[in-house]
Amino acid sequence: WFKTDEYMLRREEREAFRREQQEYSRYLGRLCLMLKSFKQPDETIRYTIEDLLENAPVRQSFVFPNDQRTELFDSLDLCFGSIQACLTGKGHSYAELLKLSEDLSKYRREILSLRIQQPKVRFWKLWGKPSLANPY
Protein backbone atom coordinates (compact mmCIF):
# COMPACT_ATOMS: atom_id res chain seq x y z
CA TRP A 1 0.00 0.00 0.00
CA PHE A 2 2.86 2.40 0.70
CA LYS A 3 3.81 2.46 -2.97
CA THR A 4 0.36 3.24 -4.33
CA ASP A 5 -0.59 6.45 -6.05
CA GLU A 6 -3.04 7.30 -3.28
CA TYR A 7 -0.31 7.19 -0.65
CA MET A 8 1.93 9.38 -2.81
CA LEU A 9 -0.87 11.89 -3.36
CA ARG A 10 -1.57 12.08 0.37
CA ARG A 11 2.12 12.54 1.12
CA GLU A 12 2.42 15.33 -1.46
CA GLU A 13 -0.71 16.97 -0.06
CA ARG A 14 0.73 16.89 3.47
CA GLU A 15 4.04 18.32 2.28
CA ALA A 16 2.31 21.13 0.36
CA PHE A 17 0.22 21.92 3.44
CA ARG A 18 3.34 22.10 5.65
CA ARG A 19 5.20 24.23 3.11
CA GLU A 20 2.35 26.71 2.92
CA GLN A 21 1.99 26.69 6.69
CA GLN A 22 5.69 27.53 7.14
CA GLU A 23 5.50 30.21 4.46
CA TYR A 24 2.59 31.87 6.26
CA SER A 25 4.45 31.63 9.56
CA ARG A 26 7.54 33.32 8.11
CA TYR A 27 5.39 35.99 6.47
CA LEU A 28 3.54 36.83 9.68
CA GLY A 29 6.82 36.79 11.63
CA ARG A 30 8.38 39.34 9.24
CA LEU A 31 5.28 41.51 9.49
CA CYS A 32 5.36 41.40 13.31
CA LEU A 33 9.03 42.40 13.35
CA MET A 34 8.37 45.31 11.00
CA LEU A 35 5.45 46.51 13.11
CA LYS A 36 7.56 46.40 16.27
CA SER A 37 10.37 48.36 14.60
CA PHE A 38 8.00 51.15 13.47
CA LYS A 39 8.43 53.30 16.60
CA GLN A 40 8.94 56.58 14.75
CA PRO A 41 7.13 57.32 11.48
CA ASP A 42 9.70 56.11 8.97
CA GLU A 43 8.79 56.05 5.28
CA THR A 44 11.01 53.10 4.33
CA ILE A 45 9.56 50.83 7.04
CA ARG A 46 6.04 51.98 6.19
CA TYR A 47 6.60 51.13 2.50
CA THR A 48 8.02 47.75 3.50
CA ILE A 49 4.97 47.00 5.68
CA GLU A 50 2.58 48.07 2.92
CA ASP A 51 4.50 45.93 0.43
CA LEU A 52 4.24 42.94 2.80
CA LEU A 53 0.50 43.52 3.19
CA GLU A 54 -0.01 43.64 -0.58
CA ASN A 55 2.16 40.61 -1.33
CA ALA A 56 0.66 38.09 1.06
CA PRO A 57 1.28 34.41 0.23
CA VAL A 58 -1.28 32.83 -2.06
CA ARG A 59 -3.54 30.37 -0.28
CA GLN A 60 -3.95 27.03 -1.98
CA SER A 61 -3.87 24.43 0.79
CA PHE A 62 -5.42 26.72 3.37
CA VAL A 63 -8.87 26.79 1.77
CA PHE A 64 -11.09 25.03 4.29
CA PRO A 65 -14.76 24.07 4.11
CA ASN A 66 -14.90 24.31 7.91
CA ASP A 67 -16.25 27.60 9.29
CA GLN A 68 -13.93 27.63 12.29
CA ARG A 69 -10.83 27.62 10.12
CA THR A 70 -12.14 30.18 7.64
CA GLU A 71 -12.96 32.44 10.59
CA LEU A 72 -9.22 32.57 11.39
CA PHE A 73 -8.38 33.96 7.95
CA ASP A 74 -11.31 36.38 8.03
CA SER A 75 -10.03 37.85 11.30
CA LEU A 76 -6.51 37.93 9.81
CA ASP A 77 -7.86 40.01 6.89
CA LEU A 78 -9.52 42.39 9.36
CA CYS A 79 -6.22 42.73 11.20
CA PHE A 80 -4.45 43.56 7.93
CA GLY A 81 -7.08 46.23 7.24
CA SER A 82 -6.61 47.81 10.65
CA ILE A 83 -2.81 47.82 10.16
CA GLN A 84 -3.29 49.60 6.84
CA ALA A 85 -5.65 52.11 8.46
CA CYS A 86 -3.18 52.73 11.28
CA LEU A 87 -0.34 53.32 8.82
CA THR A 88 -2.26 55.73 6.59
CA GLY A 89 -3.85 57.67 9.44
CA LYS A 90 -2.20 60.80 10.78
CA GLY A 91 -2.61 59.70 14.39
CA HIS A 92 0.08 57.03 14.32
CA SER A 93 0.02 55.13 17.60
CA TYR A 94 2.84 52.74 18.43
CA ALA A 95 0.70 51.09 21.12
CA GLU A 96 -1.94 50.18 18.52
CA LEU A 97 0.71 48.69 16.26
CA LEU A 98 2.06 46.63 19.16
CA LYS A 99 -1.47 45.38 19.88
CA LEU A 100 -1.91 44.42 16.22
CA SER A 101 1.49 42.71 16.26
CA GLU A 102 0.34 40.70 19.29
CA ASP A 103 -2.83 39.71 17.40
CA LEU A 104 -0.73 38.62 14.41
CA SER A 105 1.40 36.47 16.72
CA LYS A 106 -1.75 34.83 18.03
CA TYR A 107 -2.98 34.13 14.49
CA ARG A 108 0.47 32.77 13.61
CA ARG A 109 0.28 30.27 16.48
CA GLU A 110 -3.21 29.23 15.37
CA ILE A 111 -2.01 28.70 11.80
CA LEU A 112 0.89 26.59 13.02
CA SER A 113 -1.50 24.48 15.10
CA LEU A 114 -3.62 23.54 12.07
CA ARG A 115 -3.31 19.94 10.97
CA ILE A 116 -4.53 18.34 7.80
CA GLN A 117 -7.18 15.67 8.29
CA GLN A 118 -6.49 12.54 6.32
CA PRO A 119 -8.05 9.11 6.65
CA LYS A 120 -6.07 6.59 8.65
CA VAL A 121 -5.37 3.13 7.35
CA ARG A 122 -5.22 0.15 9.68
CA PHE A 123 -2.35 -2.09 8.69
CA TRP A 124 -4.31 -5.28 9.42
CA LYS A 125 -6.72 -4.36 6.62
CA LEU A 126 -3.97 -4.79 4.06
CA TRP A 127 -4.22 -8.59 3.90
CA GLY A 128 -6.48 -9.84 1.17
CA LYS A 129 -8.60 -6.68 0.93
CA PRO A 130 -8.07 -3.22 -0.46
CA SER A 131 -6.55 -0.92 2.15
CA LEU A 132 -9.50 1.46 2.21
CA ALA A 133 -12.16 -1.25 2.54
CA ASN A 134 -15.06 -0.82 4.92
CA PRO A 135 -14.14 -1.93 8.46
CA TYR A 136 -17.09 -4.36 8.67
Side-chain angles (χ1 to χ4, degrees), residues 2-135:
F2 289 102
K3 297 185 185 293
T4 60
D5 293 337
E6 185 178 355
Y7 176 77
M8 300 301 281
L9 285 175
R10 287 184 186 171
R11 188 177 70 182
E12 290 170 2
E13 184 182 4
R14 258 192 328 268
E15 288 173 357
F17 187 85
R18 284 189 196 123
R19 260 195 316 271
E20 194 167 320
Q21 193 176 34
Q22 290 170 354
E23 184 179 349
Y24 254 94
S25 174
R26 279 188 234 110
Y27 167 73
L28 291 177
R30 279 194 310 265
L31 193 56
C32 285
L33 286 176
M34 286 293 167
L35 288 177
K36 288 177 183 175
S37 66
F38 194 62
K39 293 180 183 177
Q40 300 297 326
D42 186 8
E43 290 297 315
T44 57
I45 296 177
R46 185 174 70 84
Y47 287 143
T48 306
I49 293 173
E50 287 177 352
D51 188 43
L52 279 173
L53 289 176
E54 289 175 3
N55 297 326
V58 178
R59 288 191 335 182
Q60 294 174 352
S61 302
F62 279 176
V63 179
F64 298 113
N66 191 353
D67 290 338
Q68 182 182 4
R69 292 180 176 180
T70 56
E71 184 179 304
L72 168 67
F73 288 101
D74 291 342
S75 55
L76 192 61
D77 289 339
L78 289 175
C79 187
F80 288 161
S82 57
I83 289 172
Q84 188 72 29
C86 188
L87 289 177
T88 57
K90 298 293 180 196
H92 168 261
S93 172
Y94 184 62
E96 290 178 16
L97 286 178
L98 284 180
K99 172 79 170 86
L100 292 172
S101 174
E102 182 182 322
D103 290 344
L104 283 178
S105 295
K106 183 182 73 168
Y107 298 141
R108 181 182 181 193
R109 284 191 300 271
E110 288 181 22
I111 285 175
L112 285 175
S113 70
L114 292 177
R115 295 286 176 250
I116 190 168
Q117 296 291 331
Q118 291 187 330
K120 295 183 179 178
V121 176
R122 298 180 183 92
F123 66 90
W124 58 84
K125 290 287 180 185
L126 296 177
W127 273 349
K129 290 184 182 177
S131 59
L132 295 175
N134 290 332

